[in-house]
Amino acid sequence: MASRHRSKRVLSVAISTAFLLAVIAGYFAVMNRGKPEEEDAAEALARKSRVSAELEEALRVDETGLSRATVTLQTTRGRIRFRFYTDDAPKTVHRVAQLIRSGFYNGLTFHRVEPGFVIQGGDPTGSGEGGSGVTIPAEFNRRRHVPGAVAMARKAEIDSADSQFYISLGNHPRLDGTYTVFGQVIEGLEVANQIQPGDRMTAVSIDHGP
């Protein structure tokens, strides 16, 4: 009788031990499974931080006032490239850079084309009334509306600029100080002059530069 009780106790201890070991093994299995995901998340965050730091550095201006970073507008007529006036319009530059990096402008049209005056795009509706939904405070500055100047379109309200921008095709001093100039075309002004209504920005990207 005593032998049977001892056997039951031994069996009970063995079962308890086996159960405990299984729980411990399961715990470590779960912990180990989580590590790669945690590492991936950490790597993604580190990569995002590196990219942000690189962009911030690229947006710094040189002695001409233009950024090292260059925006490339690949259009249905050819390529237009411009650089930012970061110090003159920092909020505008950072918002436009954010929109470009998100792919917002890819595929949008130039809905307004006035030869010798401006070409304008950046409206997802193509009507001239749309935008990203986030407005940018006006940053009027000393930059002039010369051929190739890149500036923000807006409504009558001063702080109503959103995602729409235009490229000046000539000298237009009457616009100076009333619209935020935030960049300057460095290549492809002849392409800008060929743009027709409905032509698309097939891809828009930022090159951080050397």
Side-chain angles (χ1 to χ4, degrees), residues 97-116:
Q98 182 183 45
L99 289 171
I100 292 171
R101 289 179 61 193
S102 73
F104 177 86
Y105 290 108
N106 296 342
L108 300 191
T109 63
F110 290 97
H111 61 272
R112 180 186 181 190
V113 176
E114 297 189 31

Side-chain angles (χ1 to χ4, degrees), residues 9 78 106 112 141 174:
R9 282 199 298 271
N106 296 342
R112 180 186 181 190
N141 53 61
R174 67 185 178 84

Side-chain angles (χ1 to χ4, degrees), residues 6 9 15 20 23 31 35 37-38 50 65 73 75 82 87 92 101 121 129 133 149 158 191:
R6 279 198 300 274
R9 282 199 298 271
I15 291 172
L20 180 60
V23 170
M31 291 297 290
K35 284 185 178 179
E37 293 179 3
E38 292 172 2
R50 284 196 300 272
L73 300 176
T75 77
F82 71 84
D87 287 355
T92 302
R101 289 179 61 193
E129 298 297 323
I158 295 297
V191 174

